[in-house]
Amino acid sequence: MSSTETRSMTATERTIADIWSGLFGTGITDPDADFFALGGTSLTAVKFLARVEDRFGEDALLPETLYEDARLGALAAAIDSAVAAGGTEATAGDGDGAADAG
């Protein structure tokens, strides 16, 4: 399988790829990479979701979202949507916290 110049990943995709690299022990560079095709199990999913919560905030990625479309790009888009909706505390790479400072 050759990597014929895949598009560059977003900050959220790179964060997920980093998490997956730690879980699966291999570098992830393809936004179309699939969590379960890489060897993800229900136990790995729990670990992944916990790390996503640590990085992006609670409810940034619901478990059912992982099971509906386990591709890295789709999961990143779901996280970005949740963060944009304001229900989480994003820490992926954009340190622009324009939220209420309390």
Side-chain angles (χ1 to χ4, degrees):
M1 287 160 212
S2 70
S3 76
T4 47
E5 195 163 350
T6 59
R7 68 170 176 77
S8 57
M9 292 196 286
T10 67
T12 304
E13 287 172 338
R14 294 186 86 190
T15 299
I16 293 172
D18 182 48
I19 294 169
W20 285 9
S21 293
L23 291 171
F24 299 119
T26 185
I28 311 295
T29 59
D30 184 1
D32 288 325
D34 183 279
F35 180 84
F36 296 106
L38 290 168
T41 63
S42 57
L43 181 58
T44 313
V46 170
K47 292 177 182 178
F48 169 62
L49 291 168
R51 292 180 188 181
V52 166
E53 188 173 301
D54 287 346
R55 300 267 178 95
F56 296 98
E58 193 172 339
D59 295 331
L61 184 64
L62 301 175
E64 52 269 22
T65 305
L66 174 60
Y67 286 95
E68 289 170 4
D69 189 348
R71 291 174 300 131
L72 187 149
L75 297 173
I79 291 169
D80 287 341
S81 292
V83 170
T88 65
E89 308 133 27
T91 59
D94 298 20
D96 188 43
D100 231 92

Coordinates of all heavy atoms in Angstrom, one line a residue:
M1 N 0.8 -1.2 0.0 CA 0.0 0.0 0.0 C 0.9 1.2 0.0 O 1.6 1.5 1.0 CB -0.9 0.0 1.3 CG -2.0 -1.0 1.2 SD -2.6 -1.3 2.9 CE -3.0 -3.0 2.6
S2 N 0.9 1.9 -1.1 CA 1.7 3.1 -1.2 C 0.9 4.4 -0.7 O -0.3 4.4 -0.9 CB 2.2 3.3 -2.6 OG 1.1 3.7 -3.4
S3 N 1.6 5.3 -0.1 CA 1.0 6.5 0.3 C 1.2 7.6 -0.8 O 2.2 8.3 -0.7 CB 1.5 7.0 1.6 OG 2.8 7.5 1.5
T4 N 0.4 7.6 -1.8 CA 0.5 8.5 -2.9 C 0.0 9.9 -2.5 O -1.1 10.2 -2.8 CB -0.2 8.0 -4.2 OG1 -1.5 7.6 -3.8 CG2 0.5 6.9 -4.8
E5 N 0.8 10.6 -1.8 CA 0.6 11.9 -1.3 C -0.8 12.2 -0.8 O -1.7 12.7 -1.5 CB 0.9 12.9 -2.5 CG 1.0 14.3 -1.9 CD 1.7 15.3 -2.9 OE1 2.2 14.8 -3.9 OE2 1.7 16.5 -2.6
T6 N -1.0 11.8 0.4 CA -2.3 12.1 1.1 C -2.3 13.5 1.5 O -1.2 14.1 1.7 CB -2.4 11.2 2.4 OG1 -1.3 11.4 3.2 CG2 -2.5 9.7 2.0
R7 N -3.5 14.1 1.7 CA -3.6 15.5 2.1 C -3.0 15.6 3.5 O -3.0 14.7 4.2 CB -5.1 15.9 2.0 CG -5.9 15.2 3.1 CD -7.3 15.9 3.1 NE -8.2 15.2 4.0 CZ -8.2 15.4 5.3 NH1 -7.3 16.1 5.9 NH2 -9.0 14.7 6.1
S8 N -2.6 16.8 3.8 CA -2.1 17.1 5.1 C -3.2 17.0 6.1 O -4.4 17.4 5.8 CB -1.4 18.4 5.2 OG -2.2 19.5 4.8
M9 N -2.9 16.6 7.3 CA -3.9 16.4 8.4 C -4.1 17.7 9.1 O -3.3 18.5 9.3 CB -3.5 15.3 9.3 CG -3.5 13.9 8.7 SD -3.5 12.5 9.9 CE -1.8 12.6 10.4
T10 N -5.4 17.8 9.7 CA -5.7 19.0 10.5 C -5.1 18.7 11.9 O -4.6 17.7 12.2 CB -7.2 19.1 10.7 OG1 -7.7 17.9 11.4 CG2 -7.9 19.1 9.3
A11 N -5.1 19.8 12.7 CA -4.6 19.6 14.1 C -5.3 18.5 14.9 O -4.6 17.8 15.6 CB -4.7 21.0 14.8
T12 N -6.6 18.5 14.7 CA -7.3 17.4 15.4 C -7.0 16.0 14.9 O -6.8 15.1 15.7 CB -8.9 17.7 15.3 OG1 -9.1 19.0 15.8 CG2 -9.7 16.7 16.1
E13 N -6.9 15.9 13.6 CA -6.5 14.6 13.0 C -5.1 14.2 13.5 O -4.9 13.0 13.8 CB -6.5 14.7 11.5 CG -7.9 14.7 10.9 CD -7.9 15.0 9.4 OE1 -6.9 15.5 8.9 OE2 -8.9 14.6 8.8
R14 N -4.2 15.2 13.6 CA -2.8 14.8 14.1 C -2.9 14.4 15.5 O -2.1 13.5 15.9 CB -1.9 16.0 13.9 CG -1.7 16.3 12.4 CD -0.7 17.4 12.2 NE 0.6 16.7 12.1 CZ 1.7 17.3 12.1 NH1 1.8 18.6 12.2 NH2 2.8 16.6 12.1
T15 N -3.7 15.0 16.3 CA -3.8 14.6 17.7 C -4.4 13.2 17.8 O -3.9 12.4 18.6 CB -4.7 15.6 18.5 OG1 -4.2 16.9 18.4 CG2 -4.9 15.2 19.9
I16 N -5.4 12.9 17.1 CA -5.9 11.5 17.1 C -4.9 10.6 16.6 O -4.7 9.5 17.2 CB -7.2 11.4 16.2 CG1 -8.3 12.2 16.9 CG2 -7.6 10.0 16.0 CD1 -9.6 12.4 16.0
A17 N -4.2 10.9 15.5 CA -3.1 10.0 15.0 C -2.1 9.8 16.1 O -1.6 8.6 16.2 CB -2.5 10.7 13.8
D18 N -1.7 10.8 16.9 CA -0.8 10.6 18.0 C -1.3 9.7 19.0 O -0.6 8.8 19.5 CB -0.5 12.0 18.6 CG 0.6 11.9 19.7 OD1 1.6 11.3 19.5 OD2 0.3 12.5 20.7
I19 N -2.6 9.8 19.4 CA -3.2 8.9 20.3 C -3.2 7.5 19.8 O -2.8 6.5 20.5 CB -4.6 9.3 20.7 CG1 -4.7 10.7 21.4 CG2 -5.4 8.3 21.5 CD1 -6.0 11.3 21.5
W20 N -3.6 7.3 18.5 CA -3.6 6.0 17.9 C -2.2 5.4 17.8 O -2.0 4.2 18.1 CB -4.2 6.0 16.5 CG -5.7 6.2 16.5 CD1 -6.5 6.4 17.6 CD2 -6.5 6.1 15.4 NE1 -7.8 6.5 17.1 CE2 -7.9 6.3 15.8 CE3 -6.3 5.9 14.0 CZ2 -8.9 6.3 14.9 CZ3 -7.4 5.9 13.1 CH2 -8.7 6.1 13.6
S21 N -1.2 6.2 17.5 CA 0.2 5.7 17.5 C 0.6 5.1 18.8 O 1.2 4.1 18.9 CB 1.1 6.8 17.1 OG 0.9 7.2 15.8
G22 N 0.2 5.8 19.9 CA 0.4 5.2 21.2 C -0.3 4.0 21.5 O 0.2 3.1 22.2
L23 N -1.5 3.9 21.0 CA -2.4 2.7 21.3 C -1.9 1.5 20.5 O -2.0 0.3 20.9 CB -3.8 3.0 21.1 CG -4.5 3.9 22.0 CD1 -5.9 4.3 21.5 CD2 -4.6 3.3 23.4
F24 N -1.6 1.8 19.2 CA -1.3 0.7 18.2 C 0.1 0.4 18.0 O 0.5 -0.5 17.3 CB -2.1 0.9 16.9 CG -3.5 1.0 17.0 CD1 -4.2 2.2 16.7 CD2 -4.3 -0.1 17.5 CE1 -5.6 2.3 16.8 CE2 -5.7 0.0 17.6 CZ -6.3 1.2 17.3
G25 N 1.0 1.3 18.4 CA 2.4 1.1 18.3 C 2.9 1.3 16.9 O 4.0 0.8 16.5
T26 N 2.2 2.1 16.0 CA 2.6 2.4 14.7 C 2.2 3.8 14.3 O 1.3 4.3 14.8 CB 2.0 1.3 13.7 OG1 2.5 1.6 12.4 CG2 0.5 1.4 13.7
G27 N 3.0 4.4 13.4 CA 2.7 5.7 12.9 C 1.4 5.7 12.1 O 1.3 4.9 11.2
I28 N 0.6 6.7 12.3 CA -0.6 6.9 11.5 C -0.5 8.2 10.7 O -0.3 9.3 11.3 CB -1.9 7.0 12.4 CG1 -1.9 5.8 13.4 CG2 -3.1 7.0 11.6 CD1 -2.0 4.5 12.9
T29 N -0.7 8.1 9.4 CA -0.5 9.3 8.6 C -1.7 9.5 7.6 O -1.8 10.5 6.9 CB 0.8 9.3 7.7 OG1 0.7 8.1 6.9 CG2 2.0 9.2 8.6
D30 N -2.6 8.6 7.6 CA -3.7 8.6 6.6 C -5.1 9.0 7.3 O -5.5 8.3 8.2 CB -3.9 7.2 6.0 CG -4.9 7.2 4.9 OD1 -5.6 8.2 4.6 OD2 -5.1 6.1 4.3
P31 N -5.7 10.1 6.9 CA -7.0 10.5 7.5 C -8.1 9.4 7.3 O -9.1 9.4 8.0 CB -7.3 11.8 6.8 CG -6.1 12.3 6.2 CD -5.2 11.1 6.0
D32 N -7.9 8.5 6.4 CA -8.9 7.5 6.1 C -8.6 6.2 6.9 O -9.3 5.2 6.8 CB -8.9 7.1 4.6 CG -9.6 8.2 3.8 OD1 -10.6 8.9 4.4 OD2 -9.2 8.5 2.7
A33 N -7.5 6.2 7.7 CA -7.2 5.1 8.6 C -8.4 4.8 9.5 O -9.1 5.7 10.0 CB -6.0 5.4 9.4
D34 N -8.7 3.5 9.7 CA -9.8 3.0 10.4 C -9.4 2.4 11.7 O -8.5 1.5 11.8 CB -10.6 2.0 9.6 CG -11.9 1.6 10.2 OD1 -11.8 0.7 11.1 OD2 -13.0 2.1 9.9
F35 N -10.0 2.9 12.8 CA -9.7 2.4 14.2 C -9.7 0.9 14.3 O -8.8 0.3 14.8 CB -10.6 3.1 15.2 CG -10.4 2.7 16.6 CD1 -9.5 3.3 17.3 CD2 -11.2 1.6 17.2 CE1 -9.2 2.9 18.7 CE2 -11.0 1.3 18.5 CZ -10.0 1.9 19.2
F36 N -10.8 0.3 13.8 CA -11.0 -1.1 13.9 C -10.1 -1.9 13.0 O -9.6 -3.0 13.3 CB -12.4 -1.5 13.8 CG -13.2 -0.9 15.0 CD1 -14.1 0.1 14.7 CD2 -13.1 -1.4 16.3 CE1 -14.8 0.7 15.8 CE2 -13.8 -0.8 17.3 CZ -14.7 0.2 17.1
A37 N -9.8 -1.4 11.8 CA -9.0 -2.1 10.8 C -7.5 -2.1 11.3 O -6.8 -3.0 11.0 CB -9.0 -1.4 9.5
L38 N -7.2 -1.1 12.1 CA -5.8 -1.1 12.7 C -5.7 -2.0 13.9 O -4.6 -2.2 14.4 CB -5.5 0.3 13.2 CG -5.3 1.4 12.1 CD1 -5.3 2.8 12.7 CD2 -4.0 1.1 11.4
G39 N -6.8 -2.7 14.3 CA -6.7 -3.6 15.4 C -7.4 -3.2 16.6 O -7.3 -3.8 17.7
G40 N -8.2 -2.1 16.5 CA -8.9 -1.6 17.7 C -10.0 -2.6 18.2 O -10.7 -3.2 17.4
T41 N -10.1 -2.7 19.5 CA -11.1 -3.5 20.1 C -11.9 -2.7 21.1 O -11.7 -1.5 21.2 CB -10.4 -4.6 21.0 OG1 -9.7 -4.0 22.0 CG2 -9.5 -5.5 20.1
S42 N -12.9 -3.3 21.7 CA -13.7 -2.5 22.6 C -12.9 -2.0 23.8 O -13.1 -0.8 24.2 CB -14.9 -3.3 23.2 OG -14.4 -4.5 23.8
L43 N -11.9 -2.7 24.2 CA -11.0 -2.2 25.3 C -10.1 -1.1 24.8 O -10.0 -0.1 25.5 CB -10.1 -3.4 25.8 CG -9.2 -3.0 27.0 CD1 -9.9 -2.4 28.2 CD2 -8.3 -4.2 27.4
T44 N -9.6 -1.2 23.6 CA -8.8 -0.1 23.0 C -9.7 1.1 22.8 O -9.2 2.3 23.0 CB -8.2 -0.5 21.7 OG1 -7.6 -1.8 21.8 CG2 -7.2 0.5 21.2
A45 N -11.0 0.9 22.5 CA -11.9 2.0 22.3 C -12.1 2.8 23.6 O -12.1 4.0 23.6 CB -13.2 1.5 21.8
V46 N -12.2 2.1 24.7 CA -12.3 2.8 26.0 C -11.1 3.6 26.3 O -11.2 4.8 26.7 CB -12.6 1.7 27.1 CG1 -12.5 2.4 28.5 CG2 -13.9 1.0 26.9
K47 N -9.9 3.1 26.0 CA -8.7 3.8 26.2 C -8.6 5.0 25.3 O -8.2 6.1 25.8 CB -7.5 2.9 26.0 CG -7.3 1.8 27.0 CD -6.1 0.9 26.6 CE -6.0 -0.2 27.6 NZ -4.8 -1.1 27.2
F48 N -9.0 4.8 24.1 CA -9.0 5.9 23.1 C -9.9 7.1 23.6 O -9.6 8.2 23.6 CB -9.4 5.4 21.7 CG -9.6 6.5 20.7 CD1 -8.7 7.4 20.4 CD2 -10.9 6.6 20.1 CE1 -8.9 8.4 19.4 CE2 -11.1 7.6 19.2 CZ -10.2 8.5 18.9
L49 N -11.2 6.7 23.9 CA -12.2 7.7 24.3 C -11.7 8.4 25.6 O -11.9 9.7 25.7 CB -13.5 7.0 24.5 CG -14.2 6.5 23.2 CD1 -15.4 5.6 23.5 CD2 -14.6 7.7 22.3
A50 N -11.0 7.8 26.5 CA -10.5 8.4 27.7 C -9.5 9.4 27.3 O -9.4 10.6 27.9 CB -10.0 7.4 28.7
R51 N -8.6 9.1 26.4 CA -7.5 10.0 26.0 C -8.1 11.2 25.2 O -7.6 12.3 25.3 CB -6.5 9.3 25.1 CG -5.7 8.3 26.0 CD -4.7 7.6 25.2 NE -4.1 6.5 26.1 CZ -3.1 5.7 25.7 NH1 -2.6 5.8 24.5 NH2 -2.7 4.8 26.5
V52 N -9.1 11.0 24.4 CA -9.8 12.0 23.7 C -10.4 13.0 24.7 O -10.3 14.2 24.6 CB -10.9 11.5 22.7 CG1 -11.8 12.6 22.2 CG2 -10.2 10.8 21.5
E53 N -11.1 12.4 25.7 CA -11.7 13.3 26.7 C -10.6 14.1 27.5 O -10.8 15.3 27.7 CB -12.4 12.4 27.7 CG -13.2 13.2 28.7 CD -14.1 12.3 29.6 OE1 -15.0 11.6 29.0 OE2 -14.0 12.3 30.8
D54 N -9.5 13.5 27.7 CA -8.4 14.3 28.4 C -7.9 15.4 27.5 O -7.6 16.5 28.0 CB -7.2 13.3 28.6 CG -7.4 12.4 29.8 OD1 -8.4 12.5 30.5 OD2 -6.6 11.4 29.9
R55 N -7.8 15.2 26.2 CA -7.3 16.2 25.3 C -8.3 17.3 24.9 O -8.0 18.4 24.7 CB -6.8 15.6 24.0 CG -5.6 14.6 24.2 CD -4.3 15.3 24.1 NE -3.2 14.3 24.3 CZ -2.6 13.7 23.4 NH1 -2.9 13.8 22.1 NH2 -1.6 12.9 23.7
F56 N -9.6 16.8 24.7 CA -10.6 17.7 24.1 C -11.7 18.1 25.0 O -12.5 19.0 24.7 CB -11.2 17.1 22.8 CG -10.2 16.9 21.7 CD1 -9.6 15.7 21.5 CD2 -9.8 18.0 20.9 CE1 -8.6 15.5 20.5 CE2 -8.9 17.8 19.9 CZ -8.3 16.6 19.7
G57 N -11.8 17.4 26.1 CA -12.9 17.7 27.0 C -14.0 16.6 27.0 O -14.1 15.8 26.1
E58 N -14.8 16.6 28.0 CA -15.9 15.6 28.2 C -16.9 15.8 27.0 O -17.2 16.9 26.6 CB -16.6 15.9 29.5 CG -17.5 14.7 29.9 CD -18.0 14.9 31.3 OE1 -17.4 15.6 32.1 OE2 -19.0 14.3 31.6
D59 N -17.3 14.6 26.6 CA -18.3 14.6 25.5 C -17.8 15.1 24.1 O -18.6 15.4 23.2 CB -19.6 15.3 25.9 CG -20.3 14.6 27.0 OD1 -20.2 13.4 27.2 OD2 -21.0 15.3 27.8
A60 N -16.5 15.2 24.0 CA -16.0 15.6 22.7 C -16.2 14.6 21.6 O -16.4 14.9 20.4 CB -14.5 15.9 22.8
L61 N -16.2 13.3 22.0 CA -16.5 12.2 21.1 C -17.3 11.1 21.8 O -16.8 10.6 22.8 CB -15.2 11.6 20.6 CG -15.3 10.5 19.6 CD1 -15.9 11.0 18.3 CD2 -13.9 9.9 19.3
L62 N -18.5 10.9 21.4 CA -19.4 9.9 22.0 C -19.0 8.5 21.5 O -18.6 8.4 20.3 CB -20.8 10.2 21.7 CG -21.3 11.6 22.2 CD1 -22.7 11.8 21.7 CD2 -21.2 11.7 23.7
P63 N -19.1 7.5 22.3 CA -18.8 6.2 21.9 C -19.5 5.7 20.6 O -18.9 5.1 19.8 CB -19.2 5.3 23.1 CG -19.1 6.2 24.3 CD -19.5 7.6 23.7
E64 N -20.8 6.1 20.5 CA -21.5 5.6 19.3 C -20.9 6.2 18.1 O -21.0 5.6 17.0 CB -23.0 5.9 19.5 CG -23.4 7.3 19.8 CD -23.5 7.6 21.3 OE1 -23.0 6.8 22.1 OE2 -24.2 8.6 21.7
T65 N -20.3 7.4 18.2 CA -19.7 8.0 17.0 C -18.5 7.2 16.5 O -18.4 7.0 15.3 CB -19.2 9.5 17.3 OG1 -20.3 10.2 17.8 CG2 -18.7 10.2 16.1
L66 N -17.8 6.7 17.4 CA -16.6 5.8 17.1 C -17.1 4.5 16.3 O -16.5 4.1 15.3 CB -15.9 5.4 18.3 CG -14.7 4.4 18.1 CD1 -13.7 4.9 17.1 CD2 -14.1 4.0 19.5
Y67 N -18.2 4.0 16.8 CA -18.8 2.8 16.1 C -19.5 3.0 14.8 O -19.6 2.1 14.0 CB -19.6 2.0 17.1 CG -18.8 1.3 18.2 CD1 -18.6 2.0 19.4 CD2 -18.2 0.1 18.0 CE1 -17.8 1.4 20.4 CE2 -17.4 -0.5 18.9 CZ -17.2 0.1 20.1 OH -16.4 -0.4 21.1
E68 N -20.0 4.3 14.6 CA -20.7 4.6 13.4 C -19.7 4.8 12.2 O -20.0 4.4 11.1 CB -21.5 5.9 13.6 CG -22.8 5.6 14.4 CD -23.5 6.9 14.8 OE1 -23.0 8.0 14.4 OE2 -24.4 6.8 15.6
D69 N -18.6 5.5 12.5 CA -17.6 5.8 11.4 C -16.3 5.9 12.1 O -16.0 6.9 12.7 CB -18.0 7.0 10.7 CG -17.1 7.2 9.4 OD1 -16.1 6.5 9.3 OD2 -17.4 8.1 8.6
A70 N -15.5 4.9 12.0 CA -14.2 4.8 12.8 C -13.0 5.3 12.1 O -11.9 5.1 12.5 CB -14.0 3.3 13.2
R71 N -13.2 6.1 11.0 CA -12.1 6.6 10.2 C -11.6 7.9 11.0 O -12.4 8.7 11.5 CB -12.5 7.0 8.8 CG -12.8 5.8 7.9 CD -13.3 6.2 6.6 NE -14.6 7.0 6.8 CZ -14.8 8.1 6.2 NH1 -14.0 8.7 5.3 NH2 -16.0 8.8 6.4
L72 N -10.3 8.0 11.0 CA -9.6 9.1 11.7 C -10.2 10.5 11.3 O -10.6 11.3 12.2 CB -8.1 9.1 11.4 CG -7.3 10.0 12.2 CD1 -5.9 9.4 12.4 CD2 -7.1 11.4 11.5
G73 N -10.4 10.7 10.0 CA -10.9 12.0 9.6 C -12.3 12.3 10.0 O -12.7 13.4 10.4
A74 N -13.2 11.2 10.0 CA -14.5 11.4 10.5 C -14.6 11.7 12.0 O -15.4 12.5 12.4 CB -15.3 10.1 10.1
L75 N -13.8 11.0 12.7 CA -13.7 11.2 14.2 C -13.2 12.6 14.5 O -13.8 13.3 15.4 CB -12.9 10.2 14.8 CG -13.4 8.7 14.7 CD1 -12.3 7.7 15.2 CD2 -14.7 8.5 15.3
A76 N -12.2 13.1 13.7 CA -11.7 14.4 14.0 C -12.8 15.5 13.6 O -13.0 16.4 14.4 CB -10.5 14.7 13.1
A77 N -13.6 15.2 12.6 CA -14.6 16.2 12.2 C -15.7 16.2 13.3 O -16.2 17.3 13.7 CB -15.3 15.8 10.9
A78 N -16.0 15.0 13.9 CA -17.0 15.0 15.0 C -16.5 15.7 16.2 O -17.3 16.5 16.9 CB -17.3 13.5 15.3
I79 N -15.2 15.6 16.5 CA -14.6 16.3 17.6 C -14.7 17.8 17.4 O -15.1 18.6 18.3 CB -13.2 15.8 17.9 CG1 -13.2 14.4 18.5 CG2 -12.5 16.8 18.9 CD1 -11.9 13.7 18.5
D80 N -14.3 18.2 16.2 CA -14.3 19.6 15.8 C -15.7 20.2 16.0 O -15.9 21.3 16.4 CB -13.7 19.8 14.4 CG -12.2 19.6 14.3 OD1 -11.5 19.7 15.4 OD2 -11.7 19.4 13.2
S81 N -16.7 19.5 15.5 CA -18.1 19.9 15.6 C -18.5 20.1 17.1 O -19.1 21.1 17.5 CB -19.0 18.9 14.9 OG -18.8 19.0 13.6
A82 N -18.1 19.1 17.9 CA -18.5 19.2 19.4 C -17.8 20.4 20.0 O -18.4 21.1 20.8 CB -18.1 17.9 20.1
V83 N -16.5 20.6 19.7 CA -15.8 21.7 20.2 C -16.4 23.0 19.8 O -16.6 24.0 20.6 CB -14.3 21.6 19.9 CG1 -13.5 22.9 20.3 CG2 -13.6 20.4 20.6
A84 N -16.7 23.1 18.5 CA -17.3 24.3 17.9 C -18.7 24.6 18.6 O -19.0 25.8 18.7 CB -17.5 24.2 16.4
A85 N -19.4 23.6 19.0 CA -20.7 23.8 19.6 C -20.5 24.3 21.0 O -21.5 24.7 21.6 CB -21.5 22.4 19.6
G86 N -19.3 24.2 21.5 CA -19.0 24.8 22.8 C -19.2 24.0 24.0 O -19.1 24.4 25.1
G87 N -19.4 22.7 23.8 CA -19.7 21.8 24.9 C -18.4 21.2 25.5 O -18.5 20.4 26.4
T88 N -17.2 21.5 25.0 CA -16.0 20.9 25.5 C -14.9 21.9 25.7 O -15.1 23.1 25.3 CB -15.5 19.8 24.5 OG1 -15.2 20.5 23.3 CG2 -16.6 18.8 24.2
E89 N -13.8 21.5 26.3 CA -12.7 22.4 26.4 C -11.6 21.9 25.5 O -10.9 20.9 25.8 CB -12.2 22.3 27.9 CG -13.2 22.6 28.9 CD -13.2 21.6 30.0 OE1 -12.1 21.0 30.3 OE2 -14.2 21.4 30.6
A90 N -11.4 22.5 24.3 CA -10.4 22.0 23.4 C -9.0 22.3 23.8 O -8.7 23.4 24.3 CB -10.7 22.6 22.0
T91 N -8.1 21.4 23.6 CA -6.7 21.6 23.8 C -5.9 20.9 22.8 O -4.8 20.5 23.0 CB -6.3 21.0 25.2 OG1 -6.6 19.6 25.2 CG2 -7.0 21.7 26.3
A92 N -6.4 20.9 21.5 CA -5.7 20.2 20.5 C -4.5 20.9 20.0 O -3.5 20.4 19.7 CB -6.6 19.9 19.3
G93 N -4.6 22.2 19.8 CA -3.5 22.9 19.2 C -3.8 24.4 19.1 O -2.9 25.2 19.1
D94 N -5.1 24.7 19.0 CA -5.5 26.1 18.9 C -5.6 26.6 20.4 O -6.6 26.3 21.0 CB -6.8 26.3 18.2 CG -6.8 25.8 16.8 OD1 -5.9 25.0 16.5 OD2 -7.7 26.1 16.0
G95 N -4.7 27.4 20.8 CA -4.8 27.9 22.2 C -5.6 29.2 22.3 O -5.4 30.0 23.2
D96 N -6.5 29.4 21.3 CA -7.3 30.6 21.3 C -8.5 30.5 22.1 O -9.6 30.2 21.6 CB -7.6 30.9 19.8 CG -8.2 32.3 19.7 OD1 -7.8 33.2 20.3 OD2 -9.2 32.4 18.9
G97 N -8.4 30.6 23.4 CA -9.6 30.4 24.3 C -10.4 31.6 24.4 O -10.2 32.4 25.3
A98 N -11.3 31.8 23.5 CA -12.1 33.0 23.5 C -13.4 32.8 24.3 O -14.4 33.5 24.1 CB -12.5 33.4 22.1
A99 N -13.4 31.9 25.2 CA -14.6 31.5 26.0 C -14.5 32.4 27.3 O -13.6 33.2 27.5 CB -14.5 30.1 26.4
D100 N -15.6 32.3 28.0 CA -15.8 33.0 29.3 C -14.6 32.7 30.2 O -14.4 31.6 30.6 CB -17.1 32.6 29.9 CG -17.9 33.7 30.3 OD1 -18.8 34.1 29.5 OD2 -17.8 34.2 31.4
A101 N -13.9 33.7 30.7 CA -12.8 33.4 31.7 C -13.4 33.7 33.1 O -13.8 34.8 33.4 CB -11.7 34.4 31.4
G102 N -13.5 32.6 33.8 CA -14.2 32.7 35.1 C -13.3 32.5 36.2 O -12.9 32.9 37.1

